[in-house]
Amino acid sequence: MDFKSLVSHSKEYGFVFQSSEIYDGLSAAYDYGPNGVELKNNIKQYWWKSMVQMHANITGLDASIFMHPKTWKASGHVDAFNDPMIDNKDSKKRYRADVLIEGYCEKIENKIKKDVDKARKRFGDEFNEAEFRSTNGRILDRQAKIDDILSKMNNALRDADMEGLKTIIEDLEIACPDSGSKNWTDVRQFNLMFSTQLGSIAGEEGKLYLRPETAQGIFVNFLNVQKTTRQKLPFGIAQIGKAFRNEIVARQFIFRMREFEQMEMQFFVKPGTQKEYFDYWKETRMKWHTNLGTPADKLRWHDHDNLAHYADAATDIEFDFPFGFRELEGIHSRTDFDLNAHQELSGKKLQYFDPALNESYVPYVVETSLGCDRMFLSQMANALQEETVPDADGKDSIRTVLKLNPVIAPVKVAVLPLVKNKEELTKAASDVFDKLKTSFNCQYDEKDAIGKRYRRQDAIGTPYCVTIDFDTLEDGTVTIRDRDSLKQERVNIDDLKAKVFAGTDMGNLM
Ligand code: GAP
């Protein structure tokens, strides 16, 4: 389904709402509705179970969002967590300089795509896209232009050359997308951290930041956790929590927000072994995504060429979102940068005593960092489908179905009395609901014809619908309908729990 349909489905079925909608919304902030919060919690549980509870050497943490301001000095966020920003003097709109330049390249890329489509139509089955792209003169010129622009931009970004970025924008005559004006300010570095003020201390002294990543809460607690759990290297600390970034360009729904949630794990290792663990976590994290049912061809690696100041290797797992392949999760080999920096600025030792070597050292760190909201979006995008199925009379009809993995589906089972105006049926259905609700998130629904109720459950991804009919009153059996196969099976009420459990158990993914 296209992106627009995905956004409207998310709203219509109570997954995601625009924040403060009655005041025309706050950009890049979203609220998770009744089904959204269940799906998000299930994603978090899957992550926590597989990362923390399935690893004897990984433990959890829940650090506070506010941290001592020196934390952000040490981590480099005060000095280096910047985006290059440019304002248009006429429209007063602010843009990320690199996004403007990439937008210009995207337009050239679209022209290439048009040429490819035209040629495909002309040559039919004979058409070989790779050959056409590598031999057609016009396409080669256009591709060379894109490569040249992006290479200049990456060099300017790497060297923090703000003048260089402005020159690229001026040379390409890039206009403000809002007003068409080319009247630009200089490019300036814009720090992405939100700041606020401590009530009791005036001025700079009382300045606090909302954390831009959860990782630093883990670094500063490294020794607290190690000593209280008596873990030996290698071991990990995992955390799920909110992070905040004052993104200049925040768009594409919940993909890039100013307030979002991260699921991060820092794995502390002996210096020199970081490559081995980087490779291990790369594979393990990719498997985590495919185990949930995300098709392998919708995921790919993107190794970083320009490494952050703290990293000696980094890669992204990208997902094929409705707007193209984009970063879903980052895996970073962060060296000993963070622990060293905190050690220096705080004056407190953050070292591990290695009993085998009888010496202390600062461990290296391999990090896995997944955005919970991006994970949510990837699952919605992957699952939402329209398909033709037979209706009650056997005729073709179109249904919208959310084929989420049952383990993360918001509602596991819907309990439906065949008709609502027969008290014996509604009473029997309520009894079934009461039996199941202690084990699963269930919904009771008696409104509308049964076919319509099935469709409502399909649209929110409920894997099982249980229907209570007149036979139930006679023999204590119900029908259970499978969301994907549409098969209906008659089962005894006493066997329902085991049946639903077998299909929705998180253990199926481990
Ligand atoms: N501790 C490392 C770190 O924060 P990152 O690549 O900046 O690395 C990690 O962020 C993940 O957080 C990303 O892969 C993405 O899933 C998520 N993320 C980052 N910025 C985001 C934003 N503005 N909105 C939603 N998710 C975001």
Side-chain angles (χ1 to χ4, degrees), residues 213 245 247 255 257 262 264 327-328 334 367 369 371:
E213 62 171 6
R245 295 182 189 177
E247 303 277 2
F255 179 81
M257 299 197 283
Q262 288 186 318
E264 297 201 300
E327 177 184 345
L328 173 63
R334 288 181 79 133
E367 158 186 81
S369 177

Side-chain angles (χ1 to χ4, degrees), residues 28 77 81 212-216 219 243-247 249-251 253-266 304 310 315-317 321 326-332 334 367-375:
H77 285 84
F81 193 51
E213 62 171 6
T214 59
Q216 298 303 326
F219 288 125
F244 304 83
R245 295 182 189 177
N246 199 355
E247 303 277 2
V249 187
R251 59 179 183 199
F253 194 37
I254 54 173
F255 179 81
R256 192 177 301 284
M257 299 197 283
R258 299 202 168 94
E259 171 183 343
F260 57 99
E261 213 161 355
Q262 288 186 318
M263 306 191 277
E264 297 201 300
M265 193 276 298
Q266 314 298 127
H304 290 205
Y310 53 74
T315 192
D316 295 335
I317 295 177
F321 287 99
R326 296 282 189 288
E327 177 184 345
L328 173 63
E329 168 159 12
I331 294 129
H332 314 123
R334 288 181 79 133
E367 158 186 81
T368 72
S369 177
L370 173 60
C372 188
D373 313 87
R374 284 192 193 173
M375 186 61 201

Side-chain angles (χ1 to χ4, degrees), residues 304-454:
H304 290 205
D305 296 327
N306 291 337
L307 290 173
H309 56 284
Y310 53 74
D312 68 3
T315 192
D316 295 335
I317 295 177
E318 293 189 337
F319 174 77
D320 190 7
F321 287 99
F323 35 84
F325 273 98
R326 296 282 189 288
E327 177 184 345
L328 173 63
E329 168 159 12
I331 294 129
H332 314 123
S333 174
R334 288 181 79 133
T335 67
D336 55 357
F337 174 86
D338 300 88
L339 287 180
N340 263 334
H342 288 306
Q343 202 173 235
E344 239 166 70
L345 202 60
S346 68
K348 309 269 165 34
K349 276 209 155 68
L350 287 174
Q351 296 188 354
Y352 169 75
F353 176 74
D354 191 330
L357 299 177
N358 200 24
E359 67 178 52
S360 296
Y361 51 80
V362 177
Y364 270 44
V365 172
V366 174
E367 158 186 81
T368 72
S369 177
L370 173 60
C372 188
D373 313 87
R374 284 192 193 173
M375 186 61 201
F376 182 108
L377 183 58
S378 74
Q379 293 310 294
M380 289 292 285
N382 194 40
L384 189 60
Q385 301 170 21
E386 265 186 356
E387 61 178 22
T388 308
V389 290
D391 67 11
D393 307 323
K395 288 197 197 116
D396 278 355
S397 75
I398 304 241
R399 72 161 176 168
T400 301
V401 56
L402 197 57
K403 288 194 174 171
L404 291 168
N405 189 309
V407 170
I408 56 167
V411 176
K412 301 289 186 256
V413 52
V415 179
L416 318 169
L418 188 62
V419 287
K420 74 168 176 184
N421 46 9
K422 285 271 180 265
E423 212 189 316
E424 315 92 280
L425 284 189
T426 52
K427 165 81 177 64
S430 294
D431 290 347
V432 171
F433 179 78
D434 287 343
K435 264 194 171 169
L436 295 177
K437 74 180 181 192
T438 52
S439 306
F440 313 103
N441 188 33
C442 306
Q443 245 179 35
Y444 176 87
D445 188 4
E446 58 178 31
K447 249 182 265 151
D448 299 318
I450 193 78
K452 217 170 174 183
R453 281 180 274 164
Y454 283 156

